[in-house]
Every structure is written in C-alpha cells, then in structure tokens.
Amino acid sequence: MADTAEGVIAGKRPRSVRVVLLALMIAMMLAMLDNMIVGTAMPTIVGDLGGLEHLSWVVTGYTLATAASTPVWGKVGDMYGRKGAFLGSIVIFLIGSALSGMAQDMGQLIGFRAVQGLGAGGLMVGVMAIIGDLVPPRERGKYQGMMAGVMALAMIGGPLVGGTITDNWGWRWAFYINLPLGAVALALVTVVLQLPKKRSKAGIDYLGVVLLTVGITAIVLVTTWGGTEYAWTSARIMELTGIGVAALIGFVFWQTKAAEPVVPLHIFKSRNFTLMAVIGFITGFVMFGATLFLPLYQQAVQGASATNSGLLLLPMLGAMLLTSMVAGRITTNSGRYKMFPIAGGALMIVGLYLLSTMDTGTSRFTSGVYMAVVGAGMGCLMQITMLVAQNSVQMKDMGVASSSATLFRTLGSSFGVAIMGALFNHRVQDVMAERAGTVGAKMTAKSAQLDADSLAKLPAVAREAYQHAVSSGTHSAFLLGAVVAVPVLIAALFVKEVPLKGGSKAAGEGAEAAPQPMVEAV
C-alpha cells in the first residue's frame, strides 16, 4: 500500500526517506559545487587550452544555460512527472561534465559547459520540488539545516577541493569528479523514489520558452558585460537591454494566452508568493555580492591567504547554517514562520551596515562578528523563502513555484555582482587616483581586483594606497547592500502567515490535495 507523505515522515519507512534525501543532497551538492571547483582550476585550464580572451565565457555559458533552463525544468516536472525530469537533468549534467573533461580547446569547453548548465538548471529545482512533493509543509523546516549545510560545505570546500584535484589529478578531474557522485544520486533516485506519474495533454509552450530564454539571456549578459567588457552606456549594452525588455514583455503577454504557460501568472496572485519572489531576488543580490567582496577585502586589506579563501567566509556560513537549523526546527514545531523573514531582513540590514564600516584597521575578529550577523540574517531567509513560496501555490504548480523562486534568486545574484561590482571598481579607481596619482590609476585601469602575487610586487606606498582603495570600495558596496536589503524587511511585514499543516494537504491558500508520493522500502 502506498504511504502518504505524512505517514512516511511519521516514521513508517524512515530509512527510505533518508536514502532519497541523501540522493537529493548529492544532486544539490553537484549543482552548487561545480562553479566553485572549476573557478579554482581556471588558471590551469587556460594554461593548457589557451584562449584567455574567452575565459569569462566558461562561467557565463554555464550561468546562462542554468538560468534559462530553470523555469523550463520546473514546468516539465509539473506536466510530465517530477522524477523523470529530475533524472533527465542529472543525465544531461553528467554528459556535460564528461564532455567538458574531454574538451580539447576553449571553444569546446564553453559549449560543453553550456550543456552542463542545462542539466544544472534542473538539479536545484528538482531537489526543491521533490521535497515539496514528498514532505508535508509543516515538516519541511526539518530539512532546512541539511540544505544550508550543503550550501556552506560547497562554498567552503569548493576552492579547497578544486585546488587539490587540479594539483594532484589535473584540471580534467574537476569535471570528472561529478561522474561518480552523479551516478550514485542517479541510482538511488531511480531505485528508491516513486512519485505519481503524470501526462499532460497540452504540449510544451515553445514560444514561451523562447521568449523567456531570450529575455533571461539578455539580462544576464547585460549584468555580466556591463562595466567590464562594455561601458554601461555602450550600444551593445543598450541593444541587449532593449532585447531583454521586449522579450520579457512579450513573454508576460503570451503567458496570458498560452494553453499551458511556462510560468502561469496566476501564481503571482498569491501575495505571499510575490513577496517571496522579491525577498529571494534581494537575498541573492546581497549574498553573492558579500561572498565576492569579503574574501577580496580580507586578502587585500587584512593579509589573509588566498589559498584558503573559502575558510574566510566561515563566520558567515556557520551562522547561516546554525540559524537555518534553528529556524527550521521552530517552524516544524510551531507551524509559524513570519518571524524569520522579519528577523532575517533586520539582521541583513544591520550586518551589511556593520560591514560597510570596516576600514584598514578592522581586525579579523571584528569583521568575523559582522559577517556572522549577515549570515544569521541569510539563515533566516534562504530556505524559508522557498518553503513559503511552495506553501502559497497548489500542488500542481509546485515545480513552477520552485523554479520561479530559484530563478528570481539567480537573477538577483547576477544584478548584485554587477551593480555592487561596478560601484566597487569605480570607488577603487577613484581612491587609487587620489592616493597614488597617475600610476595608481594605471594599476587598476584594467581590473580593480589585484591578485596576491600582483599585490606583493607593489611598492609599499602603492600597496597602502590599494588597501585604502579596497576598504573604500567595500564600504560603498556593502552600504548599497544595506540599502537594497531594506525592502526585505518591508516585504516581510506584509507576509500573511498561514500555519503550516503536518498532513499531506498543502497548507497554502487555495492549496489542493495531490496524488501522494511514496518511497519504496530499501
């Protein structure tokens, strides 16, 4: 007899649930760890394959494919079954990984990374949606700490693992390492997980897919190229902006006409879902900006080693993990959650403001405390936003709700890195020109981020000027982050708290019962 989700969680087959969750966490780890590992291996890859001028596309191609495919995977899962879509995304990701490891030139690597990104778009969405199917809303809080732990492990361990693999096995194993892990996840999900089969009579909304892909691609390219490859006011950036806006307007219009829209607009009628989309976007904006500039500040100003760059974020990630676990446990026990977005918004604002006060004399302990405040705020928001978003829609829209929430966070991170990066670079160049004159301006003309070797070669006066410049740049970037985080607190105040139920029926407004998932005994 099939177990209900409630029965599974209540302990009828706990071992089977743990096996499925292990497989889901491995898949989530693959999606999050990949860029961290590959980033560390990039200097070696360029030395072997050449093509330095195309280096940025190794990351950009992956990011574009991931962002563009995310909503499509969510919709495919809703229409044709979550398990098949998830397995398909794992297979595509592993094929892309194998091909990337075999690449013979930079062009091939970029293309194969795009294939990998197509699969990665379905990994995170699949994990979130399957947990949404398998675990009742009230119980999902228990697994927040597990997901936050995977994220922290990826951010801390990624650079270390990437460096170790590249130094001892060669850069190709930075991609091949995905194969055994992915095979384990693939086998466990295939054997253990059983979800109700679906078959939609409507076809895929191909026009919607094309319009959304064009719009997302244009936006990501604008945020990636703006201020670096091209000036923000250049014709190329203006063209991409126009294309992106036109495509997204066309997409929204078409979604009102399509028989089976890629992103059904009715999900935004839920106030909570719309608020979670806003909060997720801003959280992505702040989080990825913080993880970009904090290691840079600690290396350039505080003299930390770049080798263990992931460890520099430990205060923030540790606080995020601890807070996420506590928030999840309280949510599960009480069924209430509104307090956490409010607390998270307030902590992020305070923490980012504190980070903006750092200067060349700030100690590592003090900066660690400030990072912990930001991390605590993120821990209150990271998984709660997904939980509330899923709880705000019907079970049949679980996939698109998960993919839309993930997409907004991804787009937020793109904007955060671009806007905070542009402000940082501008401020660094101004301060270098003020303190080191023409020589200082030339030093940072091409890039405001000097690596450890370049910094060590600078004369003492120039090094001191650069430390002040980086301190000033991080001040501006984090102050902007604090201002941008204010809408999180405002949005959280308007969240309507709907107590999460412990049964299989979703607790969201208008949520409806769905065929119950089951897990086979192991």
Side-chain angles (χ1 to χ4, degrees), residues 318-515:
M320 183 178 74
L321 174 59
L322 179 61
T323 310
S324 184
M325 292 175 65
V326 172
R329 181 59 60 180
I330 293 175
T331 300
T332 296
N333 292 338
S334 67
R336 310 192 74 84
Y337 49 81
K338 183 174 180 177
M339 68 186 91
F340 296 112
I342 294 174
L347 286 169
M348 274 213 309
I349 294 169
V350 172
L352 288 164
Y353 173 75
L354 291 174
L355 288 176
S356 74
T357 64
M358 295 189 304
D359 55 28
T360 55
T362 303
S363 68
R364 292 191 189 182
F365 175 79
T366 301
S367 61
V369 172
Y370 295 168
M371 282 191 282
V373 176
V374 175
M378 291 179 181
C380 290
L381 293 169
M382 289 299 294
Q383 303 306 327
I384 287 289
T385 52
M386 180 63 72
L387 171 64
V388 178
Q390 291 180 336
N391 194 54
S392 303
V393 302
Q394 298 178 351
M395 286 294 290
K396 68 183 181 66
D397 292 323
M398 185 68 70
V400 292
S402 303
S403 63
S404 297
T406 303
L407 177 62
F408 275 103
R409 187 178 296 174
T410 301
L411 293 178
S413 67
S414 295
F415 276 91
V417 170
I419 296 174
M420 293 175 75
L423 185 62
F424 172 85
N425 291 343
H426 180 72
R427 189 61 191 148
V428 167
Q429 290 167 353
D430 284 350
V431 173
M432 285 296 288
E434 291 172 6
R435 287 181 168 268
T438 306
V439 176
K442 289 181 179 179
M443 285 168 46
T444 56
K446 292 185 178 181
S447 174
Q449 301 179 28
L450 303 181
D451 57 31
D453 291 338
S454 301
L455 191 60
K457 296 176 182 177
L458 295 179
V461 174
R463 189 182 309 114
E464 182 180 351
Y466 184 69
Q467 289 173 341
H468 279 91
V470 169
S471 176
S472 180
T474 53
H475 165 77
S476 299
F478 288 128
L479 191 60
L480 172 66
V483 173
V484 170
V486 171
V488 171
L489 180 58
I490 297 173
L493 294 173
F494 287 94
V495 171
K496 181 179 180 182
E497 188 164 55
V498 181
L500 304 173
K501 297 181 180 179
S504 59
K505 183 179 286 187
E509 299 170 358
E512 60 183 25

Side-chain angles (χ1 to χ4, degrees), residues 99-145:
L99 292 174
S100 296
M102 294 186 287
Q104 299 300 309
D105 57 51
M106 192 61 78
Q108 289 183 10
L109 181 59
I110 292 169
F112 296 151
R113 282 280 285 166
V115 174
Q116 199 181 17
L118 288 175
L123 294 181
M124 286 292 290
V125 173
V127 170
M128 298 298 181
I130 289 173
I131 289 178
D133 271 351
L134 190 65
V135 183
R138 177 79 170 260
E139 301 293 332
R140 288 175 204 156
K142 287 182 179 179
Y143 304 99
Q144 285 186 169

Side-chain angles (χ1 to χ4, degrees), residues 29-330:
M29 174 71 79
L30 289 174
M32 301 197 65
L33 197 60
D34 188 76
N35 262 338
M36 299 285 180
I37 292 178
V38 173
T40 309
M42 282 312 301
T44 306
I45 294 174
V46 171
D48 189 15
L49 299 182
L52 178 62
E53 66 276 14
H54 303 303
L55 173 64
S56 62
W57 273 104
V58 176
V59 175
T60 302
Y62 179 90
T63 304
L64 282 175
T66 301
S69 64
T70 293
V72 179
W73 281 114
K75 186 62 180 180
V76 169
D78 283 342
M79 292 175 64
Y80 301 110
R82 206 86 64 210
K83 179 178 177 179
F86 187 54
L87 291 175
S89 67
I90 295 177
V91 169
I92 293 174
F93 181 84
L94 295 182
I95 291 173
S97 298
L99 292 174
S100 296
M102 294 186 287
Q104 299 300 309
D105 57 51
M106 192 61 78
Q108 289 183 10
L109 181 59
I110 292 169
F112 296 151
R113 282 280 285 166
V115 174
Q116 199 181 17
L118 288 175
L123 294 181
M124 286 292 290
V125 173
V127 170
M128 298 298 181
I130 289 173
I131 289 178
D133 271 351
L134 190 65
V135 183
R138 177 79 170 260
E139 301 293 332
R140 288 175 204 156
K142 287 182 179 179
Y143 304 99
Q144 285 186 169
M146 189 184 299
M147 289 184 279
V150 169
M151 181 179 296
L153 183 62
M155 289 186 174
I156 295 172
L160 298 176
V161 172
T164 301
I165 289 175
T166 303
D167 291 341
N168 294 283
W169 298 350
W171 66 265
R172 296 185 185 276
W173 276 97
F175 299 103
Y176 291 151
I177 194 66
N178 294 328
L179 301 182
L181 292 174
V184 171
L186 197 64
L188 292 178
V189 172
T190 301
V191 173
V192 180
L193 180 64
Q194 295 296 323
L195 294 173
K197 295 185 181 298
K198 302 177 183 178
R199 182 65 190 180
S200 174
K201 294 181 180 179
I204 295 176
D205 176 18
Y206 291 105
L207 178 57
V209 171
V210 171
L211 289 172
L212 183 60
T213 300
V214 171
I216 291 174
T217 299
I219 288 174
V220 173
L221 287 178
V222 166
T223 56
T224 302
W225 286 347
T228 54
E229 297 288 328
Y230 303 96
W232 285 104
T233 57
S234 66
R236 179 60 56 86
I237 296 299
M238 292 296 103
E239 289 169 0
L240 286 171
T241 302
I243 292 171
V245 171
L248 291 179
I249 291 175
F251 171 76
V252 171
F253 173 77
W254 176 248
Q255 294 307 280
T256 64
K257 308 293 184 183
E260 194 66 52
V262 178
V263 180
L265 300 183
H266 67 256
I267 63 177
F268 292 97
K269 292 181 180 179
S270 167
R271 182 173 74 186
N272 277 5
F273 182 85
T274 302
L275 291 173
M276 289 305 109
V278 172
I279 291 174
F281 180 91
I282 297 173
T283 302
F285 186 108
V286 170
M287 179 179 177
F288 284 88
T291 55
L292 176 65
F293 296 114
L294 281 171
L296 179 62
Y297 169 84
Q298 291 190 308
Q299 291 171 36
V301 179
Q302 296 181 329
S305 169
T307 305
N308 299 321
S309 57
L311 297 175
L312 301 176
L313 299 174
L314 190 57
M316 184 176 75
L317 297 174
M320 183 178 74
L321 174 59
L322 179 61
T323 310
S324 184
M325 292 175 65
V326 172
R329 181 59 60 180
I330 293 175

